[in-house]
Amino acid sequence: MSCRVLDAPQAALQELWPLAERQARAHDRPVILSCAEHCEPVDPIALFARAASHLPRVLWLVPEREEALVGLAGQRLPLQSVTSPSLPLPARLAATWRALAQDALAEGPLPPLAVAGLAFDPADERPDPWWQPFGRGQLLLPRLLYRQQGALACRSVQAAVFPGEREPRTLLTWPTSSLPTPSAAPRSVVQHELVRPDDWRRMIQHALAAIAAGDLRKVVLARARELVAAEPFPLEQALRELAARYPSCTVFAIGIGETVFLGASPERLARVAHGTVATVALAGSRPRASSPEQDHRAAEELRRSDKDRHEHALVVEAIRSALAPLCTSLSIPGEPVVVSMANVHHLATPISGILHDGTSVLDVVARLHPTPAVGGTPREAALAFIRQREPVPRGWYAGALGWIEASGDGEIVVGLRSGLVRSQQARLYAGCGIVADSDPVAEWAEAEAKFRPMLEALAGG
């Protein structure tokens, strides 16, 4: 693979820079500048994996839809310069992008685009060195952007031009294929449970007591597992494994320095396009079985399970309540369907709506995140319970990650079936929804099934 910034976008960026800087001075805030052109398709995973690690980089890939996005050399956009610090962080991200994008200058076939990421619980102040580079939330403007839909591909160069910044910064070059072919996943991996079985049982017992007392209706509890390998984990190979095994999921990776958060999420938090919003309630699950007969029986048991249908209904109702103020109409099927992934069956209800004018995907996220599918209900009580009882902070696990165009259209997924990798170490996460009749043993087994995607990708099984 050979890929470099083309002369045309660079020249256009330099030509438009003085105009962008004048606008930045006039409005006293940064102005987004983007210049793009069509290009030949390239391998998005290789492009991400070969990028320099000292600058933020992002991969977004949905194999089944033939959609890919790679953002390199991410420039962190300042939030406090355009929004009130008193706003909750998700709302600040939405307001920041709205303020910056309204004056954006663009040339070529790609609109300006930013990448947004949020922790599961931005209010959780417990320190964790693993997640320190990511913070509680970020809005990144990729300096180099590659986007693909089927056989159509484009590249662009982007910048946030600040008042007084009269000349372009040095433009970066795209990675080349000079690195060696990725090696197979290391087989010598030691695993450590960070939440032991006794800890898990006690957490669930406390949750069941809170539910019985009426303090909670549902809470999602998460396990964490640490992996240590003899050699650094081969991230490119891991991403290829995830894409091959889970083609209907969103394979994502965001690298900040030497730390990479990656996974294959089955859950879309929100997609906004041309004034419509689409999301999905995904709650209630069963591990896949080895034989077709047992697997069919597991799916039918899930479909008829009162416990899982109750858990699922709580998520549907929370999404309905969150989206109603943003929409002129909502479409919600009366019954969930069973969606089967490679490792688990899920109950799923697709939800769509017509948005009020000017509503962006980040406005939707500010209302939805975190849903009861990953947090619980009532939301604040569930989050407080998780902060108190879970021993390992989640960081961006079960958080929100995705992209947004200048128009406000975009897509955000929930950071599930995921883990954090740093050289020879990795930390994986898996969660389960706890309701009144949850069983700790069954929930432990369900979490084991949810660990599988990352274990297979990183450790070969």
Side-chain angles (χ1 to χ4, degrees):
M1 183 190 74
S2 178
C3 185
R4 60 187 176 83
V5 175
L6 303 178
D7 289 339
Q10 291 192 53
L13 190 84
Q14 292 173 331
E15 182 179 343
L16 289 174
W17 193 283
L19 176 58
E21 194 278 330
R22 286 196 297 273
Q23 284 193 191
R25 279 188 285 119
H27 297 296
D28 193 27
R29 62 171 178 252
V31 168
I32 304 300
L33 180 55
S34 173
C35 301
E37 71 177 26
H38 294 288
C39 67
E40 292 297 317
V42 298
D43 181 342
I45 292 178
L47 185 59
F48 172 86
R50 285 150 172 72
S53 63
H54 67 284
L55 294 172
R57 58 227 183 264
V58 176
L59 169 71
W60 175 280
L61 176 63
V62 188
E64 192 173 78
R65 302 199 315 238
E66 296 186 295
E67 291 184 9
L69 183 154
V70 181
L72 305 179
Q75 179 181 2
R76 188 169 184 173
L77 298 176
L79 304 186
Q80 293 188 359
S81 62
V82 293
T83 66
S84 168
S86 63
L87 285 175
L89 183 55
R92 291 174 64 201
L93 292 178
T96 294
W97 183 243
R98 180 179 291 104
L100 295 178
Q102 65 182 343
D103 301 315
L105 298 177
E107 182 170 293
L110 274 185
L113 180 149
V115 173
L118 273 171
F120 161 71
D121 179 7
D124 189 348
E125 298 182 353
R126 291 177 293 169
D128 188 339
W130 279 77
W131 288 106
Q132 189 276 330
F134 291 79
R136 300 177 193 176
Q138 295 197 30
L139 193 60
L140 296 172
L141 184 76
R143 295 281 302 281
L144 303 177
L145 178 66
Y146 171 80
R147 196 167 179 186
Q148 182 178 342
Q149 175 71 64
L152 182 65
C154 298
R155 287 195 286 260
S156 66
V157 292
Q158 302 189 130
V161 183
F162 286 79
E165 195 173 18
R166 300 182 185 276
E167 295 182 0
R169 292 175 291 278
T170 302
L171 292 171
L172 305 170
T173 57
W174 292 89
T176 68
S177 58
S178 60
L179 295 183
T181 302
S183 59
R187 298 288 170 172
S188 177
V189 175
V190 178
Q191 302 186 34
H192 303 282
E193 295 289 351
L194 300 183
V195 179
R196 296 172 300 178
D198 287 347
D199 301 326
W200 181 250
R201 187 179 65 253
R202 279 192 292 270
M203 279 200 301
I204 291 180
Q205 287 172 344
H206 286 298
L208 293 175
I211 291 169
D215 299 328
L216 296 171
R217 297 175 68 193
K218 172 189 174 179
V219 63
V220 179
L221 298 178
R223 291 170 52 192
R225 178 178 291 173
E226 188 173 297
L227 310 183
V228 180
E231 298 177 356
F233 287 103
L235 291 176
E236 182 172 344
Q237 181 66 24
L239 290 167
R240 295 195 188 282
E241 287 284 335
L242 291 172
R245 291 175 185 264
Y246 305 93
S248 64
C249 293
T250 299
V251 176
F252 66 87
I254 176 165
I256 300 181
E258 297 301 321
T259 305
V260 180
F261 177 47
L262 72 157
S265 176
E267 185 170 346
R268 171 193 288 171
L269 184 59
R271 183 176 182 117
V272 169
H274 311 299
T276 65
V277 60
T279 185
V280 61
L282 199 71
S285 57
R286 286 284 192 284
R288 298 293 300 267
S290 55
S291 73
E293 295 81 6
Q294 291 174 324
D295 196 53
H296 177 73
R297 187 159 53 248
E300 285 303 307
E301 288 175 356
L302 175 61
R303 192 191 312 274
R304 296 192 302 266
S305 166
D306 290 339
K307 177 260 184 188
D308 290 285
R309 290 176 71 92
H310 170 62
E311 178 185 345
H312 185 82
L314 294 174
V315 177
V316 172
E317 183 52 38
I319 293 175
R320 183 200 307 272
S321 298
L323 289 183
L326 302 180
C327 295
T328 60
S329 64
L330 278 173
S331 175
I332 304 177
E335 289 287 321
V337 297
V338 175
V339 175
S340 299
M341 306 294 177
N343 56 326
V344 293
H345 300 291
H346 287 292
L347 286 179
T349 296
I351 298 171
S352 61
I354 306 300
L355 292 166
H356 294 299
D357 290 345
T359 305
S360 77
V361 70
L362 289 180
D363 293 318
V364 175
V365 169
R367 293 281 304 175
L368 287 178
H369 180 70
T371 72
V374 294
T377 184
R379 177 191 287 183
E380 293 308 318
L383 293 178
F385 185 93
I386 291 167
R387 288 182 212 124
Q388 180 183 9
R389 297 293 180 181
E390 278 190 11
V392 183
R394 296 188 189 185
W396 285 25
Y397 162 70
L401 176 70
W403 52 271
I404 181 171
E405 297 176 352
S407 65
D409 288 359
E411 184 167 6
I412 307 290
V413 298
V414 184
L416 300 175
R417 313 298 186 269
S418 58
L420 201 61
V421 176
R422 189 170 57 195
S423 186
Q424 297 164 242
Q425 295 178 290
R427 184 186 287 179
L428 311 184
Y429 301 82
C432 300
I434 309 303
V435 291
D437 51 354
S438 292
D439 172 60
V441 174
E443 303 297 347
W444 183 273
E446 181 181 317
E448 284 296 313
K450 292 175 178 176
F451 275 129
R452 265 185 54 199
M454 289 302 297
L455 283 174
E456 291 168 345
L458 292 175

Coordinates of all heavy atoms in Angstrom, one line a residue, residues 36 65 83 166 169 194 201 234 297 324 340-341 347 354 369:
A36 N -10.6 18.2 0.2 CA -10.7 16.8 -0.1 C -10.7 16.6 -1.6 O -11.0 17.5 -2.4 CB -11.9 16.2 0.5
R65 N -21.3 -3.4 5.7 CA -21.8 -2.2 4.9 C -20.7 -1.6 4.0 O -21.0 -0.7 3.3 CB -22.3 -1.1 5.9 CG -23.4 -1.5 6.8 CD -24.2 -0.4 7.4 NE -23.4 0.7 7.9 CZ -23.4 1.2 9.1 NH1 -24.1 0.6 10.1 NH2 -22.7 2.2 9.5
T83 N -18.1 26.9 24.8 CA -19.3 26.4 25.5 C -19.1 26.8 27.0 O -18.1 27.1 27.5 CB -19.4 24.9 25.4 OG1 -18.3 24.3 26.1 CG2 -19.5 24.5 24.0
R166 N -1.6 32.6 11.1 CA -1.7 33.2 9.8 C -1.1 32.2 8.7 O -1.3 32.5 7.5 CB -1.0 34.5 9.7 CG -1.6 35.5 10.6 CD -1.0 36.9 10.6 NE -1.5 37.8 11.5 CZ -2.6 38.5 11.4 NH1 -3.3 38.4 10.2 NH2 -3.1 39.3 12.3
R169 N 0.2 25.0 9.5 CA 1.2 24.2 10.2 C 1.8 23.2 9.1 O 1.2 23.0 8.1 CB 0.6 23.4 11.3 CG 0.2 24.3 12.5 CD -0.5 23.5 13.6 NE -1.8 23.0 13.1 CZ -2.9 23.8 13.1 NH1 -2.8 25.0 13.5 NH2 -4.1 23.3 12.7
L194 N -9.7 -9.3 37.4 CA -9.7 -8.2 38.3 C -11.0 -8.1 39.1 O -11.0 -7.3 40.1 CB -9.5 -6.9 37.4 CG -8.3 -6.8 36.6 CD1 -8.2 -5.5 35.8 CD2 -7.0 -7.0 37.4
R201 N -20.3 -12.1 42.9 CA -21.5 -12.5 43.7 C -21.9 -11.5 44.7 O -23.1 -11.2 44.8 CB -21.2 -13.9 44.4 CG -22.4 -14.5 45.0 CD -22.2 -15.8 45.7 NE -21.3 -15.6 46.9 CZ -20.0 -16.0 46.9 NH1 -19.5 -16.6 45.8 NH2 -19.2 -15.8 47.9
P234 N -0.3 -7.9 18.7 CA -0.3 -7.5 17.3 C -1.6 -6.8 16.9 O -2.6 -7.5 16.6 CB 0.0 -8.7 16.5 CG -0.6 -9.8 17.3 CD -0.4 -9.4 18.8
R297 N -32.5 -23.6 20.5 CA -33.2 -23.6 21.8 C -32.8 -22.4 22.6 O -33.7 -21.8 23.3 CB -32.9 -24.9 22.5 CG -33.8 -25.1 23.8 CD -33.9 -26.6 24.2 NE -32.6 -27.2 24.3 CZ -32.1 -28.2 23.5 NH1 -32.9 -28.6 22.5 NH2 -31.0 -28.7 23.7
A324 N -38.0 11.4 22.7 CA -39.3 12.1 22.4 C -39.2 13.6 22.3 O -39.7 14.3 21.4 CB -40.3 11.7 23.5
S340 N -28.5 -12.5 16.3 CA -27.5 -13.5 16.7 C -26.1 -13.0 16.2 O -25.9 -12.8 15.0 CB -27.8 -14.9 16.1 OG -29.0 -15.4 16.6
M341 N -25.2 -12.9 17.1 CA -23.8 -12.6 16.8 C -23.0 -13.9 16.8 O -23.5 -14.9 17.1 CB -23.2 -11.6 17.8 CG -24.0 -10.3 17.9 SD -24.0 -9.3 16.4 CE -25.0 -8.0 16.9
L347 N -31.6 -9.8 22.4 CA -32.9 -9.2 22.1 C -32.7 -7.7 21.6 O -31.9 -7.0 22.2 CB -33.8 -9.1 23.3 CG -34.4 -10.4 23.8 CD1 -35.3 -10.2 25.1 CD2 -35.3 -11.1 22.7
I354 N -38.1 11.1 13.4 CA -37.9 12.3 12.6 C -37.5 13.4 13.6 O -38.3 13.7 14.5 CB -39.2 12.7 11.9 CG1 -39.7 11.6 11.0 CG2 -38.9 13.9 11.0 CD1 -38.7 11.1 10.0
H369 N -27.0 8.9 26.3 CA -25.9 8.2 27.0 C -25.7 8.5 28.5 O -25.9 9.7 28.8 CB -24.6 8.7 26.3 CG -23.3 8.0 26.9 ND1 -23.1 6.7 26.7 CD2 -22.3 8.6 27.6 CE1 -21.9 6.5 27.4 NE2 -21.5 7.6 27.9

